Amino acid sequence: MDFGVVVNNLGFLMVQGFLGFGSFAGGTLRLAIPAIVLGFLLGVFIGLGRLARSPWIRIPATGYVELFRGVPLVMVIFWFWFILPILLRVPLPEYGVALAAFVVFEAAYLGEIVRAGIQSVPRGQVEAATATGLTRAQTMRHVILPQALRNMIPALVTQFIVLFKDTSLASIIGYMDLTKAAQVVNNREIRPFELYLFIAVVYWLCTYTMSCYARYLERRLSLT
Amino acid sequence: MQYQFDWSVLWRGQSRDWLLQGLLTTLEISALAWLLALALGVLSGALRTVPLRPLRALAIFYVEFFRNVPLLVWMFFWYFGVPPLLPRPVQEWLFNHGAEFWAGMLALGVYHGARFSEVIRAGIQSIPKTQFEAAASTGLTVAQAYRLIIIPIALRLIVPPLTNESLNLLKNSSIALTISVAELTFQTRQIETYTAKAIEALTAGTLIYLILCLGIAAAMARVERRFAIPGLIARPTRAEH
């Protein structure tokens, strides 16, 4: 065992692979952060759609959630990788494909979190808002969503951890994230044990810190 | 260029055999990994609730380390990282006996064992403390109380979240394609490579996964009703994957 290989390639692994600065369009964080933000925005619509009164909105939203929750993420990444270029008739960069796949896939899970968050707001709040003369849309925007969002935060952090780990799958289509960077270094140095153990520890440090933070948020929210 | 649909690629040539064989491999690797995960999950989940600090610490280390690292990294670690450290004859034996399948199975089972563990611990901790006290007062030892009272009740309580996690395991078996296990997603890609019919191949793979997942979920909903403990409300499942 010789961890010198990690030290020698630390710059490439962390700056290029983890952060995404360098000669390749890559980076674990550069994929994970936009994916959770955009996925959440889409997830709000999916979550609201699941609770809509009109079946024309509710059934497609439910179908969306059931479809993406019943299919492996790898499969969804391949759909985007192979089918988007056929439909759009232009070759697409790995970054765009990976981001699109993650946003669409995560929105199904985030939509369920949004729905649970909205359903956790007591019914009396809706009644009180209606009594003060707010419309349904106003009630949602000014009364329910702000409270629901607060209840959602721990679940959102947990989902971000899941997404953060899942970004490693973008390496399958050649996106230069931390996992791909380790593969590239390994192809040259043939030190799989050291390299994969190292990135396992990097992933672990990030996710473990975040899960401690999620637990702290949960405790703080349950006290208030 | 207009895309020409040709659904017959799915049953022409070798495609049908590939899909069938991929499905079987997916089921096989998932079933073996599931058994391993359940064993590890029950063991470490139970250990995390016992009143012995070193055992708890061991179980916590296992769960927190394996659960928080991407499965893909574990696949690479077990397949590329570990075998070179083994003695030469063992290596040769492994690579003559489908090393990728066993490495994939191990990665899947150990990773999901850590996640099962969380589900099982939550199940055990939701059992009222009086059950432990009642078990102790009838003269059962700690091991007996776990084996005869706590674990059977916990297993019935956790049917819904365990189903969810089991389906995650099934879906995650697709990641084994990265170490060239010829499971369903791998075969779907292979059909795409040979026929250049991406939409047809991916639709077939997707439908098979959907049927499997929705089918198992429906079957487990029946099991859940059958084994529900009267008077206890089913716990909600977690939105994770």
Side-chain angles (χ1 to χ4, degrees):
Chain A
M1 256 178 263
D2 174 17
F3 282 91
V5 62
V6 171
V7 178
N8 292 337
N9 295 290
L10 200 60
F12 182 74
L13 287 170
M14 296 310 289
V15 177
Q16 173 71 73
F18 187 70
L19 298 174
F21 300 107
S23 40
F24 299 94
T28 291
L29 283 187
R30 249 181 56 189
L31 181 59
I33 292 170
I36 191 85
V37 173
L38 296 174
F40 179 69
L41 292 177
L42 184 57
V44 170
F45 287 102
I46 302 292
L48 288 176
R50 291 262 284 159
L51 295 170
R53 280 206 196 122
S54 156
W56 294 104
I57 302 173
R58 199 176 61 236
I59 292 171
T62 308
Y64 182 96
V65 171
E66 292 293 332
L67 171 67
F68 284 101
R69 299 216 313 169
V71 175
L73 176 55
V74 180
M75 205 56 143
V76 177
I77 293 175
F78 283 144
W79 286 356
F80 281 80
W81 183 235
F82 290 111
I83 296 177
L84 267 191
I86 293 175
L87 296 178
L88 302 175
R89 292 176 205 166
V90 280
L92 291 169
E94 292 91 353
Y95 182 68
V97 170
L99 186 60
F102 278 101
V103 168
V104 167
F105 182 79
E106 292 297 329
Y109 288 87
L110 290 163
E112 286 297 274
I113 293 176
V114 171
R115 184 175 68 104
I118 291 172
Q119 286 178 330
S120 73
V121 176
R123 183 106 209 115
Q125 295 279 334
V126 183
E127 285 153 12
T130 315
T132 61
L134 296 184
T135 64
R136 241 179 99 76
Q138 283 173 328
T139 306
M140 190 51 90
R141 202 158 71 84
H142 297 293
V143 179
I144 302 180
L145 277 184
Q147 298 183 61
L149 198 62
R150 221 180 71 109
N151 294 344
M152 279 176 227
I153 289 172
L156 286 178
V157 177
T158 310
Q159 190 60 31
F160 182 70
I161 298 172
V162 174
L163 170 70
F164 179 82
K165 285 189 292 170
D166 282 344
T167 53
S168 61
L169 295 177
S171 67
I172 297 177
I173 57 167
Y175 178 73
M176 187 62 78
D177 73 328
L178 181 59
T179 308
K180 183 79 193 169
Q183 269 180 288
V184 168
V185 174
N186 183 47
N187 286 344
R188 190 175 60 224
E189 311 262 4
I190 326 269
R191 288 248 162 237
F193 183 83
E194 292 85 341
L195 284 163
Y196 294 132
L197 189 64
F198 170 72
I199 63 167
V201 170
V202 173
Y203 277 113
W204 181 82
L205 281 174
C206 296
T207 48
Y208 188 68
T209 315
M210 285 190 276
S211 73
C212 288
Y213 183 61
R215 250 173 299 194
Y216 162 77
L217 283 176
E218 240 164 87
R219 261 204 313 278
R220 218 184 56 180
L221 279 174
S222 67
L223 287 178
T224 51
Chain B
M1 186 194 80
Q2 190 66 39
Y3 186 83
Q4 296 288 328
F5 280 96
D6 180 10
W7 293 94
S8 69
V9 296
L10 294 179
W11 47 88
R12 248 195 356 240
Q14 290 170 288
S15 297
R16 204 182 47 190
D17 294 342
W18 281 343
L19 278 179
L20 198 65
Q21 200 244 316
L23 173 64
L24 287 179
T25 309
T26 288
L27 291 176
E28 200 181 341
I29 199 169
S30 301
L32 287 173
W34 188 83
L35 288 176
L36 177 63
L38 195 66
L40 287 171
V42 169
L43 184 67
S44 64
L47 284 183
R48 284 185 72 177
T49 62
V50 298
L52 267 173
R53 189 179 269 275
L55 287 181
R56 272 208 312 270
L58 186 73
I60 288 174
F61 171 78
Y62 163 67
V63 171
E64 293 296 345
F65 193 58
F66 282 91
R67 188 174 67 121
N68 281 316
V69 172
L71 178 55
L72 177 62
V73 175
W74 286 130
M75 292 264 173
F76 287 165
F77 180 79
W78 293 114
Y79 183 58
F80 296 113
V82 172
L85 304 180
L86 300 173
R88 248 252 166 292
V90 180
Q91 271 183 51
E92 272 167 20
W93 189 88
L94 270 178
F95 283 97
N96 288 329
H97 291 80
E100 67 281 347
F101 181 88
W102 297 110
M105 196 279 286
L106 192 66
L108 203 57
V110 172
Y111 175 83
H112 278 281
R115 302 190 46 149
F116 279 14
S117 172
E118 284 291 276
V119 171
I120 289 159
R121 178 181 62 103
I124 291 175
Q125 284 177 342
S126 70
I127 296 173
K129 204 151 178 62
T130 47
Q131 294 272 356
F132 286 88
E133 288 159 7
S137 70
T138 60
L140 298 181
T141 64
V142 172
Q144 280 174 328
Y146 269 86
R147 191 165 58 84
L148 299 171
I149 315 277
I150 306 301
I151 301 278
I153 296 178
L155 284 179
R156 287 171 69 171
L157 283 177
I158 60 169
V159 171
L162 196 67
T163 304
N164 220 11
E165 269 307 313
S166 305
L167 289 176
N168 286 339
L169 187 152
L170 179 75
K171 286 182 280 173
N172 275 342
S173 69
S174 60
I175 297 175
L177 105 153
T178 54
I179 55 172
S180 54
V181 175
E183 48 70 59
L184 185 55
T185 312
F186 180 95
Q187 299 291 22
T188 308
R189 281 241 24 217
Q190 177 146 294
I191 296 173
E192 191 276 333
T193 311
Y194 274 73
T195 63
K197 292 288 172 206
I199 297 181
E200 290 85 339
L202 291 176
T203 304
T206 302
L207 279 180
I208 296 176
Y209 276 113
L210 266 181
I211 292 168
L212 273 182
C213 287
L214 296 179
I216 293 174
M220 289 311 289
R222 292 180 68 113
V223 172
E224 187 189 328
R225 276 195 299 277
R226 168 85 178 68
F227 284 102
I229 300 174
L232 286 179
I233 305 161
R235 289 147 32 75
T237 52
R238 301 206 343 245
E240 249 190 67
H241 62 90

